[in-house]
Amino acid sequence: MTTSAILALATGLPVVATRHSGFPDQVLDGKTGFLSNENDYKDFATAILKYLAEPKKWPAMSHASRAHALAMYDCRPLIGRQIEHYRRLAPWVKKVAFVLGPFPVVSETFIINQIADLIDQGLDVRIYAFNKFGEANISDRYFQYKMAERTTYLELPSNIFLRVDKAIPKFLHVLLRRPKALGIIFDFKKYGLSGLSLKPLFWVEPFIGLKADVVHCHFGRTANRYLFIRRALGLPQPFITTFYGFDISNLVQVKGPRYYDDLIREGTDFLVMSNNMKERVAAIGFSPDRMDVLPISEDIESFVFKERTLGDNEVTRLVSVGRFVEKKGFDDVIKAMKIVKEKYQRPFICSIIGGGELEDELRALAKTEGVEDVVKFEGFMKVQDVTKFLLKSHLYIQGSKTAANGDME
């Protein structure tokens, strides 16, 4: 599932998506949109044309989309459930530590929203991020809630001399406060070059004296890194891990089936995005009894609702949003547009919002398929600007699929 599809539903924009991962939870076939077979651009085009052929049904589908978004993805009940998870582990919870990989990330506005929503509920959220990303096109809520001031970065300077210079006070801090941790941090026999790089020292030192009642790790890889920190310092806090997609698909294939063995044993609770993901996480050894489906949430009521209709001389507008990586299926979107162009009798535009490593390849494909005139690449946008774009559109399309390396939503 994707945040963009939730935003679309929230504005009353029906969705055509593939039967991939959590999309069957989002798209009620024939009610809030249509589903198609994964990795089948012809069937995807058929589903799009099925929607386009019956504009008289669009108003009813718009209302159904909004209602479904409110019922399934509104932040109020979902953040409430998240806090209940925290309270079950620590009834007195006031402070929560978020442990993240990179932060902030344009495609992970859902993380920013979670932080803001928890703060609104009176919790003090502190952020520990392994890498710092740029702030271009980042959600306004990141700035409104001054999240940069709440964030501690664990990354190392690339310059070796600067790294050593910054490592000295960190080493002394650990020596004074947690000297036993140094044996784990500098266990060169076990961690090899990783220890020599001083990475473990930069990871561990900021967590000394951690003032948090609950730790919440986002993505399985981040949780595995946190396990090292937790052991080194003997941190007592219960911790929750949320899985989002690649961390339970491609990463398991790359790292092997035992990659999460320690997390299975030591993790407290686990959250997943969909029923499909819960089945996949259980299949690699996590207990279903310690798992809950808690999808990405949005403040649905705050989004403007628009009933979709089509004027006699109006251009039909399709839109898709995401990073330009294989699992997003933008190649199938472009191939499907060729079929739509051949069969749909009205003028239309398909806008693709985003960017990434496959952009040149996708632009070349649009040219090869002869759809340059109807496929428009809009670049990255802030989530607020994406929402405005969705309101101008008649259909949201999502061609996601399992990538060759096993990566999934």
Side-chain angles (χ1 to χ4, degrees):
M1 62 167 50
T2 69
T3 307
S4 300
I6 296 172
L7 299 183
L9 294 169
T11 69
L13 183 60
V15 176
V16 168
T18 53
R19 293 182 181 88
H20 172 86
S21 189
F23 290 111
D25 290 356
Q26 292 181 311
V27 181
L28 305 180
D29 202 19
K31 294 182 179 179
T32 66
F34 294 98
L35 292 168
S36 70
N37 295 327
E38 179 180 336
N39 204 25
D40 184 345
Y41 70 88
K42 293 180 180 179
D43 194 51
F44 190 52
T46 298
I48 293 170
L49 288 165
K50 186 176 181 180
Y51 174 82
L52 296 178
E54 298 187 274
K56 290 183 179 180
K57 293 184 178 181
W58 295 3
M61 295 183 83
S62 290
H63 287 278
S65 297
R66 173 72 166 205
H68 186 55
L70 279 168
M72 297 294 295
Y73 303 108
D74 186 61
C75 64
R76 290 164 184 81
L78 291 181
I79 288 296
R81 282 174 53 196
Q82 187 166 326
I83 293 173
E84 285 304 310
H85 276 281
Y86 296 160
R87 287 176 176 160
R88 187 166 57 80
L89 300 175
W92 56 88
V93 62
K94 296 291 184 183
K95 298 177 182 291
V96 179
F98 267 37
V99 183
L100 310 173
F103 182 77
V105 181
V106 173
S107 61
E108 295 177 6
T109 300
F110 53 87
I111 298 287
I112 292 171
N113 285 340
Q114 273 190 54
I115 294 167
D117 292 339
L118 290 170
I119 292 171
D120 285 345
Q121 293 299 312
L123 293 182
D124 181 10
V125 182
R126 298 293 158 174
I127 303 154
Y128 295 83
F130 285 94
N131 304 102
K132 184 175 184 177
F133 265 39
E135 296 179 344
N137 297 311
I138 293 298
S139 167
D140 291 343
R141 296 186 91 189
Y142 171 82
F143 302 100
Q144 291 166 359
Y145 286 75
K146 298 181 179 180
M147 293 186 191
E149 298 177 11
R150 294 175 172 270
T151 305
T152 299
Y153 288 101
L154 314 177
E155 63 184 352
L156 299 75
S158 56
N159 181 285
I160 187 63
F161 298 105
L162 182 59
R163 185 184 307 175
V164 171
D165 182 62
K166 288 186 174 294
I168 292 171
K170 291 180 180 293
F171 174 83
L172 293 174
H173 187 210
V174 178
L175 180 63
L176 290 172
R177 296 287 302 278
R178 292 290 189 277
K180 291 183 179 180
L182 293 174
I184 298 174
I185 291 171
F186 295 107
D187 188 348
F188 300 132
K189 183 177 180 181
K190 186 172 183 178
Y191 299 110
L193 294 177
S194 178
L196 289 171
S197 73
L198 300 177
K199 183 186 296 182
L201 177 62
F202 278 78
W203 285 5
V204 169
E205 185 269 341
F207 284 88
I208 291 177
L210 177 66
K211 295 179 180 179
D213 303 311
V214 175
V215 175
H216 192 158
C217 298
H218 294 265
F219 294 93
R221 178 167 61 186
T222 303
N224 265 9
R225 291 176 173 180
Y226 175 70
L227 277 178
F228 169 81
I229 297 166
R230 190 171 189 263
R231 291 169 183 160
L233 295 175
L235 296 176
Q237 292 89 348
F239 74 101
I240 291 176
T241 301
T242 297
F243 294 105
Y244 288 97
F246 88 93
D247 50 346
I248 210 65
S249 55
N250 166 253
L251 193 59
V252 175
Q253 289 198 17
V254 172
K255 298 292 187 179
R258 304 196 65 178
Y259 178 65
Y260 286 128
D261 280 2
D262 290 344
L263 186 58
I264 290 169
R265 286 193 301 270
E266 299 179 40
T268 313
D269 273 2
F270 306 97
L271 304 177
V272 294
M273 296 293 100
S274 66
N275 291 299
N276 173 274
M277 187 180 289
K278 182 175 182 178
E279 294 174 0
R280 289 186 282 122
V281 173
I284 64 173
F286 289 87
S287 170
D289 295 336
R290 293 159 61 199
M291 253 189 281
D292 188 21
V293 177
L294 194 69
I296 293 167
S297 65
E298 291 285 346
D299 184 0
I300 303 299
E301 291 183 358
S302 71
F303 288 89
V304 175
F305 170 77
K306 180 181 177 182
E307 184 180 274
R308 288 341 192 255
T309 58
L310 186 63
D312 291 341
N313 298 313
E314 190 175 1
V315 174
T316 307
R317 298 190 177 277
L318 286 62
V319 61
S320 191
V321 183
R323 290 179 297 119
F324 294 169
V325 294
E326 185 183 359
K327 70 178 179 180
K328 295 296 184 180
F330 283 113
D331 55 338
D332 288 340
V333 169
I334 291 170
K335 291 176 183 178
M337 287 307 102
K338 181 178 182 179
I339 298 173
V340 174
K341 182 179 176 180
E342 292 170 352
K343 296 186 177 182
Y344 188 49
Q345 300 302 309
R346 295 183 60 121
F348 77 96
I349 294 292
C350 175
S351 296
I352 299 179
I353 299 172
E357 60 194 57
L358 298 181
E359 182 164 351
D360 290 343
E361 182 178 321
L362 292 172
R363 286 182 179 273
L365 179 62
K367 184 176 182 179
T368 300
E369 295 293 325
V371 293
E372 284 182 298
D373 57 329
V374 295
V375 173
K376 304 298 181 184
F377 292 89
E378 305 289 348
F380 281 114
M381 293 183 186
K382 285 185 178 181
V383 65
Q384 289 81 9
D385 294 328
V386 170
T387 303
K388 292 176 183 177
F389 209 101
L390 295 173
L391 283 166
K392 298 187 295 183
S393 303
H394 300 97
L395 177 65
Y396 182 85
I397 56 177
Q398 188 76 45
S400 296
K401 58 186 176 182
T402 303
N405 64 3
D407 194 10
M408 295 178 66
E409 298 284 4

